[in-house]
Amino acid sequence: MSLEIAKKDLEDYMAGIKKDMPKISGNVAHMIASMLIGYRTGLYDRAIGRADKILGKIEKDESKSALKCAVSIIRAHSIELLPSQKSIRSEFNWEGHDPTKTFGVKLPEEKDCTFKPEDEKFYAIKLSKDEIKVPLEFKRDNALIFAYSTAYLFSIEDQRPLEEQVLGYVLQRIEYYQKEDA
């Protein structure tokens, strides 16, 4: 399979879920884009911080349960990867605070999440339970693709940065499952 087929599959997926997706503000979509770009560029502290803000903004809205779960899954993986972050945190973050004091010596608490059966309609990758070889990776890939699609559809100004920083990885993940089916 090729990345072109994966790109077509992603476009079809986004067109198919657009009507079922809960509407979110451009601000929340921008934070999702920022979280994903941080995640993909190895700025896991930024990804965690953005995820916390997103969850704070949508936590009381049950219509966004799939989005909350997707963000929580990406946040949890960012926490796992945080010790491997090689970049030096900048002196000040966007809010003017010293980011080195964000976590101190204690990592943030992980919030495990599993998609509810009714949220599985947002899966880009649909496999039977027998076909899923690594359940955590399968869940993470679906969360990533759903979060990417949400940010892409609701934050027009972030489409280009998402395409430049995240799209290639999303397409690789889709292509991985296509190869598994072949």
Side-chain angles (χ1 to χ4, degrees), residues 94-112:
W94 292 107
E95 290 78 27
H97 304 284
D98 181 353
T100 61
K101 304 214 182 332
T102 304
F103 304 119
V105 295
K106 183 180 173 201
L107 289 176
E109 181 184 322
E110 285 190 48
K111 299 171 184 165
D112 189 36

Side-chain angles (χ1 to χ4, degrees), residues 21-40 46-47 50-51 53-55 57-58 64 66-68 70-71 74 143-155 158 162 166:
M21 292 177 79
K23 303 295 180 238
I24 60 168
S25 70
N27 183 42
V28 171
H30 173 70
M31 284 191 284
I32 294 169
S34 180
M35 173 192 70
L36 291 170
I37 291 168
Y39 174 78
R40 279 304 302 143
R46 176 177 293 262
R50 291 294 185 253
K53 286 186 177 191
I54 295 162
L55 294 170
K57 288 194 176 277
I58 65 174
K64 295 177 177 66
L67 183 59
K68 285 188 275 190
V71 169
I74 294 165
L144 175 72
I145 297 165
F146 179 56
Y148 175 89
S149 300
T150 302
Y152 191 87
L153 292 169
F154 289 105
S155 183
D158 288 310
L162 282 167
V166 185

Side-chain angles (χ1 to χ4, degrees), residues 6 10 40 144-145 148 166-175:
L10 178 63
R40 279 304 302 143
L144 175 72
I145 297 165
Y148 175 89
V166 185
L167 178 61
Y169 182 68
V170 168
L171 294 177
Q172 288 173 2
R173 298 316 304 154
I174 293 170
E175 186 180 40

